[in-house]
Amino acid sequence: MARLPIRIYPDPVLRVRCVEVETFDEEIATLVADMKETMIAAPGIGLAAPQIGVESRIALVDLSVGEEESEFYVLINPEITSGEGEGVEAEGCLSIPDFTEKVTRPTQVSVTYQDLHGERHTLQADGWLARAICHELDHLDGVLFVDHLKGLRRERAKRALRRLIREQES
Ligand code: NI
């Protein structure tokens, strides 16, 4: 396994619409293992493939950050099929360091996805798991959590993003 560098805003790969995974082979298994190691080391509760520069529809979520294997989800070609409720909690993102802000998300989602063998599953998630899934799936369409912010929260986010642009330039 290898720890991979995490892409930081404004890296353009974070704005790409990722492509579906069609071949479920050893290469994908290795990539997912590397992503898992990278996510845990960060540490983070989720990581999407574009965050390590890969434009594939793969997202990992693990609220336990490597402590509980049962909480680790590999979501390949995931799709949210329904969402309910509305909750507001502070989120952050490994690609937008040192910035958190409250984001409105559904409190329950149903998601279909494929596993490392290409088998299809349906997952009902609520609370923080639902939130983490929404956040990571957004990444697969080039959407960042700051894109959901409005008003003063959006202004705060803009300042944080401008700081990141300056840091990445220097
Ligand atoms: Ni993120």
Side-chain angles (χ1 to χ4, degrees), residues 5-168:
I6 293 175
R7 303 298 185 91
I8 305 295
Y9 182 93
D11 192 315
V13 75
L14 297 170
R15 291 307 196 181
V16 163
R17 188 175 193 283
C18 297
V19 297
E20 297 242 327
V21 173
E22 286 174 1
T23 314
F24 295 83
D25 56 8
E26 200 54 38
E27 203 178 313
I28 290 289
T30 302
L31 173 66
V32 166
D34 290 347
M35 284 176 64
K36 184 181 184 184
E37 187 179 336
T38 304
M39 174 180 71
I40 292 169
I45 59 170
L47 188 72
Q51 293 184 278
I52 48 108
V54 175
E55 299 174 13
S56 296
R57 301 189 79 78
I58 305 170
L60 308 187
V61 173
D62 181 359
L63 295 185
S64 80
V65 197
E67 294 295 315
E68 291 289 338
E69 199 53 38
S70 62
E71 294 193 34
F72 175 62
Y73 293 96
V74 181
L75 309 171
I76 302 178
N77 302 330
E79 223 174 299
I80 291 172
T81 52
S82 68
E84 272 181 61
E86 204 177 88
V88 184
E89 296 285 350
E91 284 182 29
C93 179
L94 294 174
S95 295
I96 306 175
D98 306 318
F99 180 73
T100 59
E101 191 49 272
K102 287 180 176 173
V103 183
T104 305
R105 302 269 193 194
T107 50
Q108 291 185 327
V109 294
S110 188
V111 58
T112 62
Y113 64 96
Q114 285 169 280
D115 62 23
L116 277 172
H117 310 288
E119 285 180 32
R120 289 180 193 282
H121 301 270
T122 301
L123 172 65
Q124 316 284 343
D126 56 22
W128 268 101
L129 183 58
R131 175 172 294 276
I133 288 171
C134 291
H135 178 118
E136 297 312 325
L137 267 58
D138 270 354
H139 274 298
L140 305 181
D141 290 319
V143 175
L144 301 170
F145 81 96
V146 290
D147 300 334
H148 294 291
L149 302 176
K150 294 187 180 78
L152 282 175
R153 288 173 183 166
R154 184 165 190 85
E155 293 309 312
R156 281 195 63 228
K158 279 186 188 164
R159 279 200 294 278
L161 296 179
R162 279 198 294 268
R163 168 180 56 77
L164 285 173
I165 290 169
R166 283 196 303 273
E167 284 175 11
Q168 299 298 307

